[in-house]
Amino acid sequence: VAVRPDTWFELSVQRWHALTLLVLVTLAFLTLCVILGLTLWAHRRARRRRAVPHYWENNGKSVKRGDDKLSRDYFDDSFPLTLEQRSALQDLMNETCGKADQAFRLIRAVRVESSALWLRYRRRVREICLARGFASGRARVDNPELSRFLSQRDMNSGACEAFLWLGTKPETALKLISAEKLQGSELVGNAARYGVGWYFAEDVSVAHSNAHSGEHLYSECYAMLLCRVALGHQHQVVDPASLRRDSDCSSDDSDSLQASPDRASSRVRDRISSAVSRWLGSRPAGALTEFDSTLAELKDREREFIVYDSRQVYPEYALIYETCAPAHLEHGMDPPNYWDHARSMIFGTSYPPYWMNARADSGTEFHDLFPAQRFKSTLQDLSRDTWKDKFTRDRLGSNGLPIPKGDPHNEMPAGIQILKCWRVENSDMWHRYRRYREGVQSMRGQCKELDIKTTSALRWHARRRLRAEVNEAYLWHGSKPAAVSAIATQGFNVDLSGTNVGAMFGKGAYFAECSSKADEYSRDDKEGYFEGCYALLLCRVALGEAQVLRKADYTAHERVGENQPFDSTVGDRESAVGTYREFVVPVPEAIYPEYAIIYERVAKRDPRAG
């Protein structure tokens, strides 16, 4: 049959339209598949990213094999918090404190990121959610400041997850940061009330009552852990009168029935839910119980949360702090001691009258390290007043090389923030220093006075400690925290070789009047609790008669010392090129390292740089 041309054309168009429609449908189907695939991939990626908290440095890693040290997902890190973050935690501590006459000053704060601990914790959280049908509910934290902190974190309401305070001791916090395994007995508060477990509080003053002061460097310091805690189904204790009756109650008591303190942990541990056990497979006996924790709400006492399974605890923040009065929190406390001179006249002591060992007999040996809380604000002011926005070739950048001229990357710090300071009281070093100072005075009489910036910047009650006739001065010496730690046990031996700072003005120990110059020679610890922190020593130095040099002289030490015209050397590069002055003494007897300081550098971009 002959087909008319117009009919053939219409059929071709219809076939073309059908083919086009088929192609479009196919493309739409493929596009939908791609979108669904990308959505599933993004969802899985998001779940993987949510495997660890979003604010962690290790965010994005999976913890599926987090307990395998050979896995690329394994991590075990501790990150010191910045000044701004530490200030926020210090505010949180003081805002959650229920005592008006108590305040806390945070010295050090570290966030612990451990894939093995986190994996163990998340597995336990999952068990609780499945066991309770995701119905444990949100943790009831009455403290509004702590509640606001919780709202900013990824918390699992199905396991009744919360952040709570746990008081401990500095040595325990150090073990946590060094990735050593913590035993349960190391974190227990008062184990006699509700059995052996971890005792948490939402009021930081309650947790502080369970904290202990440390030793040596951590004398008069305390430790606090801010932990994630999966409370789960809580066994509530509210009526002390019912505690005695509970010993006669059967295991079928209702949830509201109160438990005996001695039996609280056993009741939480011993009630097994066989139905949930079938859901989760084989578990160790006692792994799943009727209750997951105890909530103690006794009358006239602050609430306590007790957990008996270490898997329900993740110690996320380790804090070292000291106590103070609220009025001294911002400005420190450094009242002038008007009786320093009078006490030395009355007691006739051979030691500085403000020392703890001031009244010790001259034959008594001691080597102690005391927190210099009263002098801390003076040291902070002194570091600020002697800081200059100027660097030399000794200032290293983040790449380990000298900062280029003009500081293109803005690596010159704006100052330092003192975290902790100690006063060194060493009878042997002091006697040697005192004999040397008296020897210089008897030999020189009145030395030519030097105008030293640290002496001028000191408050009057600290400045009058010094003997102006022998040019005694407080001077800075750059160090590192590991050296400061050695002071607590071995004493400090100043390196006199000049290798650390060069020997531009001969051999000897080099000191600076400007904190910014001494900071150039400071080095940070690469590991340990003070990782990323630096150290300074503020030393008494008896300069005596000083020779002032404006140019390099590598034999300057030959004119300094006994039977020589000078007792020290002043390298005045400030007058020559506008940088700094350095002070060099040839013998260790001319030095007494009185204050040891741990600090961190304040970057110019830091909000506290001003």
Side-chain angles (χ1 to χ4, degrees), residues 249-255 257 267 271 290:
C249 295
S250 65
S251 60
D252 296 328
D253 294 338
S254 63
D255 293 348
L257 198 59
R267 289 196 56 178
R271 297 185 177 183
E290 182 177 346

Side-chain angles (χ1 to χ4, degrees), residues 120 175 179-183 186:
R120 187 181 69 163
K175 283 188 177 182
E180 295 183 28
K181 186 177 180 181
L182 290 177
Q183 301 298 326
E186 296 182 82

